[in-house]
Amino acid sequence: MHTITYIRRGVQILSLTFLFYGATLLHLKPTEIKWYAMQENSRQATELLYGNPTWTQPFQTFLPARSCRFAGTHGTFRGCLMFFFSDILTWRPPLGVVLPSLALVVVLMVMLARFWCGWICPLGFMSELLYEARKYLGLKRIRFSAPLRNLLKAVGWGLTFIILFSAWFISWSAVAWSIKKPLYLAVCQMCPSKLITPALTGFPIMINLTFPGASTTLLVSLFVVLVASTLLYFSGFILKRAWCKICPLGVILSFFNQGAFLSKEKDLIRCTKCAVCASACPMETSTVYEEKTKKYVNHSQCIHCYRCVDLCPEKKCLTVKFLGLPLFKS
Amino acid sequence: MKTDFEKRYQRAPLHRPAEKVSARVRAASEDLAARLHKQPDRLVSLPYYEELFTTEKRKKELQILNRKVVGTYCYFAPEELIYASGDVPIRLCSGHSDTITTAEELLPRDICPLVKSSFGFPILGDGWIDACDVIALPTSCDAKTKLGEYLADYLPVWMINLPKIKNYDGLKEYWLKEIKLFLHKLEELNGKKVKAPELKNALQLLKRRAELYRAMYELRLAHPLLLSHQDLLMVVQSSFYDDLPRWINQTELLYNEMKKASATGKYAAKGKRLMITGAPIIWPNFKILNIITELGSTVVADDMCAGHQRLWDYAEPDEWTLEGMLEAVAARYIFPSVCPCFTTSYDRIDKILHLAREAKVDGVIYHDLRLCQIFDMEKDLVVKVLKENQIPVITLHTDYGQEDVEQLRTRIEAFLEMIL
Ligand code: SF4
Ligand code: SF4
Ligand code: SF4
Ligand code: SF4
């Protein structure tokens, strides 16, 4: 019964353990890496060799999930791909340097798209634990209304744009330091993981509301966004994956949901339109339920949790395929 | 107890006990039971179900049982809630032709035979309705909607305001509220609140029933004559009346017997494989099925609300909280339903196409109950799409009477020859 959900929970536990505590548990040695930082005196980027081991995870690459850099010394990967993209845009390192990581991230996205969200991302997993706790307490779920869902989607797009644009914008030398400094890694400044991951891994939580020479207004504004997104994250207790509906990393992955190697297919005539899938979907998408003309039912916001496949009462109605190979069936 | 009819205007209930009519009703059931009994190689677990139609045992049991009995009509009265409240649902839709004349003393003649037939029983003071404490009546069609006011002369009636448009976003707006209102009425009737564990038990019980039915259905795909379609409908319809856990136990026995018997290879379909779609065929109005059997063909599938559809679907909550379960119950009655009372026939057409494909049917019989507008109005599109899919289809426009049996036989015979 509900086998897929059980398997998924297992994978999520393993991946959270590996991403957040892998270095410690597996005695992986951190690597020395070249790093860049905003230099206060020169007010430009400088290449540094950081001695601080907290910043050097064993795998010097990035994953399309919140494999957060704030997992500190316990963490296994250098960070999530939003961090990576921001860094590329800000520092514009030579292609040769970033190519391996970039290629890996792209391959992982093309293969699995938002499967990362449903199965690997620790932040996503923990937000599911929130609603599991609520279920255990017998409290009822609240859904976003359709207009609110659209609004959240727009917010997500907006955030993604702001994050990527600001990362690129501060790379210009003409931009004043007072703007540059606060906007550096804007993505991390507003990411709930910045608070949640350290809380789990014992890494210090760093929040600066003032910084020499930096615009306090910007710092405080970003902090307000951080508070808002963290509140949204915890509203996942009743709303199910609330943060994931705006998560910029999710927005980027959502472009790969159609055409990824991993795909959900529906036998249109077996589907009774019973709406079990629509009620079960944590992302509140309704493509699986509504689609009656095309067999591919991959909504851009689908996180591949396969709860729909798990609960669909019609045998062989929904199938999850990887490059045409069936993995799961309803 | 609150009812949906406040009795501003009164009409004395019409009582016309008529031993002759009641005797004919009993005889119709006994005749059919005897007929089914004579089928060749019939499974030995089946006579159990006949008793529910031919004896008063269950009715007596209900009358001494310390549980409230809720009479229901159609597919839509939420059984989960009735069981969770500790009450017993009894479906009152009837297939007897003998009570129709009785009902016509009060009801207009030009309404569907199912409604008339069912309404004959309170007038006669006979049948299952005698054992009921209250009636839950969904407003599925015009006749059912208006039937409430007539039934309210006899028993408290709760109308269930059924939406006619399947709209997922609207589910919470109105239908879930209606479901909760129904639950509230039950709670008032019983003087106690329904708690999550009770509802969970009811959901699981009904899911077990669905899974059992689905297993039987699958077994029957390859060996349809394990149960003739008459027997299948009898088994399904006995679940309208029987104690559910007992019915499940009994049907598990039947299923095991079916499994064993299927190994003998004796039960392959004879003649053409047919599917019946359309208005419900309810005990003892099995005339079409009997004709098909006599003509040497086999009905392998149906999509009727008193047949396959009755036991197929179940509530599958994502969350087992009270709210989550109620939502699932609400969804289960509306969305997968193929009842023509909804505005589009598309889901029904898909169901027919799917069953026709899965059960490899050679032809479809569209059973159109005379004076049922909704099935009649859906016919055109259903028939068109079936023809486009190269599935031969014949429409039989008939009612509960026996007068047209020969005419039906000729038409079905011609149809069977045509699909050679
Ligand atoms: S704080 Fe957020 S954006 Fe930054 S590395 Fe961690 S998960 Fe990625
Ligand atoms: S949407 Fe973002 S936080 Fe949510 S699971 Fe995906 S990557 Fe993780
Ligand atoms: S749960 Fe399955 S049968 Fe029901 S609507 Fe979704 S895909 Fe169709
Ligand atoms: S559509 Fe299905 S797989 Fe995708 S998020 Fe919703 S329930 Fe999960």
Side-chain angles (χ1 to χ4, degrees), chain B residues 94-275:
Chain B
S94 153
H96 283 279
S97 64
D98 300 291
T99 52
I100 289 181
T101 329
T102 311
E104 278 171 355
E105 285 202 38
L106 206 52
L107 288 177
R109 296 197 58 195
D110 288 346
I111 58 170
C112 99
L114 194 157
V115 166
K116 282 189 289 189
S117 164
S118 315
F119 189 64
F121 286 99
I123 299 181
L124 286 171
D126 196 0
W128 295 101
I129 197 164
D130 251 12
C132 294
D133 295 288
V134 57
I135 288 177
L137 181 57
T139 58
S140 45
C141 62
D142 287 353
K144 293 269 171 57
T145 305
K146 296 310 294 173
L147 180 63
E149 204 171 76
Y150 287 87
L151 286 171
D153 294 346
Y154 301 87
L155 279 172
V157 174
W158 298 335
M159 298 305 290
I160 299 175
N161 197 359
L162 189 74
K164 299 297 167 64
I165 305 170
K166 293 185 186 179
N167 171 346
Y168 182 70
D169 288 326
L171 169 71
K172 292 221 142 175
E173 303 297 323
Y174 35 86
W175 179 234
L176 181 59
K177 289 196 179 126
E178 190 67 23
I179 291 281
K180 286 183 178 167
L181 189 65
F182 184 71
L183 181 63
H184 185 72
K185 286 174 180 164
L186 283 166
E187 287 174 339
E188 234 174 36
L189 173 71
N190 296 297
K192 68 176 177 51
K193 286 244 166 241
V194 168
K195 298 202 187 59
E198 292 154 349
L199 188 54
K200 185 173 179 182
N201 284 342
L203 260 68
Q204 284 172 334
L205 190 65
L206 289 185
K207 183 170 177 179
R208 233 174 87 209
R209 184 181 78 178
E211 283 170 344
L212 187 56
Y213 174 75
R214 286 174 179 221
M216 281 171 40
Y217 163 79
E218 274 175 22
L219 203 53
R220 236 186 126 239
L221 282 179
H223 315 275
L225 282 176
L226 282 171
L227 294 181
S228 66
H229 216 76
Q230 290 92 317
D231 278 336
L232 180 75
L233 290 190
M234 174 184 75
V235 172
V236 170
Q237 290 169 15
S238 67
S239 75
F240 297 175
Y241 314 115
D242 203 358
D243 174 57
L244 187 53
R246 190 167 62 204
W247 184 90
I248 289 178
N249 286 341
Q250 188 62 37
T251 308
E252 267 161 4
L253 294 179
L254 170 65
Y255 174 65
N256 290 336
E257 196 193 349
M258 283 170 74
K259 262 208 309 219
K260 272 202 211 100
S262 66
T264 64
K266 272 198 290 201
Y267 296 96
K270 289 204 183 89
K272 300 285 176 309
R273 296 172 71 98
L274 300 175
M275 170 177 177

Side-chain angles (χ1 to χ4, degrees), chain A residues 66 114 117 121 123-124 241 243-244 247 249-250:
Chain A
R66 297 277 178 185
R114 286 192 83 167
C117 292
C121 179
L123 213 54
R241 287 225 178 213
W243 156 257
C244 295
C247 171
L249 178 44

Side-chain angles (χ1 to χ4, degrees), chain A residues 1-2 131 134-135 138-141 143 146 149 240 267-276 278-281 286 289-290 292 307 310-315, chain B residues 166-169 171-172 180 207 211 214 218 312-324 327 331-332 335-337 347 350-351 353-355 357-358:
Chain A
M1 285 312 296
H2 303 174
Y131 72 67
R134 171 185 53 74
K135 279 199 228 171
L139 301 174
K140 70 175 181 188
R141 168 190 187 181
R143 285 166 212 267
R149 277 201 310 270
K240 278 203 171 173
D267 186 337
L268 298 170
I269 258 177
R270 280 178 191 272
C271 169
T272 62
K273 284 205 93 188
C274 68
V276 164
S279 312
C281 180
S286 51
Y289 155 61
E290 273 164 6
K292 267 292 192 178
R307 186 73 178 157
D310 218 1
L311 294 193
C312 174
E314 300 307 317
K315 255 194 200 163
Chain B
K166 293 185 186 179
N167 171 346
Y168 182 70
D169 288 326
L171 169 71
K172 292 221 142 175
K180 286 183 178 167
K207 183 170 177 179
E211 283 170 344
R214 286 174 179 221
E218 274 175 22
W312 185 259
D313 291 299
Y314 54 86
E316 180 68 280
D318 174 43
E319 302 195 348
W320 292 89
T321 57
L322 197 56
E323 181 83 6
E327 229 179 81
R332 159 240 200 286
F335 297 114
S337 165
D347 294 342
D350 281 350
K351 186 80 180 195
L353 289 175
H354 164 56
L355 287 173
R357 178 178 76 173
E358 192 166 67

Side-chain angles (χ1 to χ4, degrees), chain A residues 134-325:
Chain A
R134 171 185 53 74
K135 279 199 228 171
Y136 183 75
L137 296 173
L139 301 174
K140 70 175 181 188
R141 168 190 187 181
I142 295 177
R143 285 166 212 267
F144 289 108
S145 64
L148 207 54
R149 277 201 310 270
N150 291 336
L151 179 75
L152 286 176
K153 206 169 168 183
V155 170
W157 282 64
L159 270 185
T160 313
F161 175 77
I162 292 169
I163 285 164
L164 296 178
F165 179 79
S166 68
W168 171 71
F169 179 70
I170 61 170
S171 71
W172 298 358
S173 48
V175 176
W177 167 256
S178 62
I179 297 179
K180 232 178 210 186
K181 172 66 194 170
L183 283 186
Y184 177 50
L185 283 178
V187 64
C188 295
Q189 317 282 6
M190 53 176 77
C191 174
S193 184
K194 184 188 177 166
L195 303 177
I196 294 161
T197 305
L200 274 175
T201 55
F203 193 72
I205 296 176
M206 288 170 299
I207 288 162
N208 300 322
L209 292 181
T210 56
F211 198 84
S215 154
T216 310
T217 324
L218 263 183
L219 282 172
V220 172
S221 317
L222 281 168
F223 179 69
V224 171
V225 179
L226 175 67
V227 172
S229 55
T230 310
L231 285 178
L232 182 68
Y233 184 88
F234 283 102
S235 73
F237 181 67
I238 43 169
L239 286 159
K240 278 203 171 173
R241 287 225 178 213
W243 156 257
C244 295
K245 284 165 182 126
I246 68 163
C247 171
L249 178 44
V251 169
I252 291 184
L253 290 176
S254 68
F255 290 107
F256 294 84
N257 253 358
Q258 249 129 81
F261 293 180
L262 202 57
S263 167
K264 277 196 315 301
E265 288 174 27
K266 173 158 118 173
D267 186 337
L268 298 170
I269 258 177
R270 280 178 191 272
C271 169
T272 62
K273 284 205 93 188
C274 68
V276 164
C277 49
S279 312
C281 180
M283 293 301 280
E284 290 163 49
T285 70
S286 51
T287 312
V288 180
Y289 155 61
E290 273 164 6
E291 186 60 71
K292 267 292 192 178
T293 50
K294 293 193 288 293
K295 67 173 180 171
Y296 297 104
V297 284
N298 302 301
H299 188 276
S300 65
Q301 287 190 310
C302 165
I303 54 167
H304 293 257
C305 68
Y306 309 139
R307 186 73 178 157
C308 51
V309 184
D310 218 1
L311 294 193
C312 174
E314 300 307 317
K315 255 194 200 163
K316 292 190 264 174
C317 173
L318 294 174
T319 314
V320 182
K321 291 187 178 166
F322 186 77
L323 285 176
L325 244 81

